[in-house]
Amino acid sequence: MISIKNVIKKYKSGSEEIAALGGISAEIRTGEFTVILGPSGSGKSTMLNMLGGMDRPTSGQILINGEDISGLSEKKLTDYRRKNVGFVFQFYNLVENLTAYENVGIAAELNGNTGKAANALKEVGLEKRMKSFPNQLSGGEMQRVAIARAVAKSPKLLLCDEPTGALDVATGEMIFELLKKYSQNNETAVVVVTHNPDIAKIADHVIRLRDGKIVSDERVSQPIIENKAV
């Protein structure tokens, strides 16, 4: 589904030019749970931004089903994000004065998927919390609402930037299991950025970054699958 070819991303910092990504190449497949690991400053979030069409590479190609999104116009890039990409962030980004159902419903309607909000919330185990406001939910429940909001668009690519950074370990593991299950059941490419190496044990595909370079890229033949209750 996704082919990253010799992508370089440079930023200006005063008179200096900093390479956030130094010529990376990788392939990400539909139905895979891909984890991008690396310390702060390794280029993880920059790579995620490239995949999501939120930033453009300085050089190289990002091919989505054969189309180079780095060469799209701003309008077509906006269409690409709206139709194909779901985003899950560390701090949920929910609208405080809207219920869980309304938070998810807005995203579903923007992409023409009216009526999918309830199903998305059921898929993450929150069918009994649809009328709850964010301040009535736990951190794990808010993150599940954020995931439901992203998947209500029926995205081909689900991108998650440190989605468990604000959660305790047990809740974080449950969120990762939920994302893995979603990738398998919906033939969606799920890509998660994290600094937690323990998550690699449940991944189908692990990419490790350091200083803007890929230091390892491996597919796991038998990832650990745990059946935690959602």
Side-chain angles (χ1 to χ4, degrees):
M1 179 185 177
I2 302 168
S3 183
I4 303 164
K5 295 187 175 182
N6 197 30
V7 166
I8 294 172
K9 180 62 182 180
K10 295 181 179 179
Y11 295 101
K12 289 273 189 178
S13 179
S15 59
E16 288 187 78
E17 196 171 58
I18 299 171
L21 293 175
I24 65 169
S25 297
E27 290 194 351
I28 295 170
R29 300 171 186 165
T30 298
E32 278 189 336
F33 180 64
T34 297
V35 171
I36 302 174
L37 286 171
S40 296
S42 62
K44 303 187 305 297
S45 292
T46 301
M47 183 175 176
L48 205 72
N49 289 341
M50 299 287 131
L51 294 175
M54 295 182 287
D55 204 351
R56 297 177 187 268
T58 304
S59 63
Q61 293 181 302
I62 298 173
L63 303 173
I64 309 292
N65 293 330
E67 182 177 27
D68 185 6
I69 64 168
S70 57
L72 296 178
S73 67
E74 287 299 327
K75 182 181 183 302
K76 288 186 176 180
L77 206 55
T78 299
D79 287 341
Y80 161 74
R81 289 192 298 266
R82 180 172 60 84
K83 295 176 182 178
N84 298 288
V85 186
F87 296 96
V88 179
F89 303 100
Q90 180 175 345
F91 295 109
Y92 328 128
N93 294 344
L94 302 180
V95 181
E96 290 296 323
N97 62 344
L98 297 182
T99 64
Y101 179 85
E102 290 167 338
N103 265 283
V104 176
I106 286 176
E109 288 175 14
L110 285 174
N111 209 42
N113 288 337
T114 305
K116 285 197 174 182
N119 286 337
L121 285 163
K122 287 177 183 177
E123 192 165 0
V124 298
L126 290 178
E127 59 268 30
K128 295 181 180 179
R129 303 291 266 155
M130 292 189 190
K131 295 181 180 179
S132 298
F133 290 92
N135 64 3
Q136 297 171 318
L137 301 172
S138 68
E141 287 172 331
M142 284 192 284
Q143 191 57 290
R144 281 191 274 166
V145 173
I147 292 170
R149 180 181 57 192
V151 304
K153 297 170 59 179
S154 300
K156 297 174 183 175
L157 176 61
L158 183 60
L159 302 176
C160 311
D161 193 357
E162 297 282 5
T164 64
L167 304 175
D168 61 79
V169 173
T171 305
E173 288 179 354
M174 178 270 293
I175 292 296
F176 280 119
E177 291 290 346
L178 179 63
L179 290 168
K180 181 177 176 67
K181 179 181 176 183
Y182 183 80
S183 70
Q184 294 171 331
N185 292 349
N186 295 275
E187 281 298 299
T188 298
V190 175
V191 181
V192 175
V193 159
T194 182
H195 63 276
N196 184 354
D198 290 337
I199 304 308
K201 67 186 180 183
I202 69 166
D204 302 305
H205 183 200
V206 181
I207 298 172
R208 288 179 170 84
L209 287 176
R210 184 177 296 118
D211 298 327
K213 299 277 190 178
I214 293 177
V215 294
S216 69
D217 183 346
E218 59 184 345
R219 284 185 164 81
V220 183
S221 57
Q222 291 184 315
I224 297 172
I225 300 175
E226 300 178 20
N227 295 317
K228 288 185 173 65
V230 174

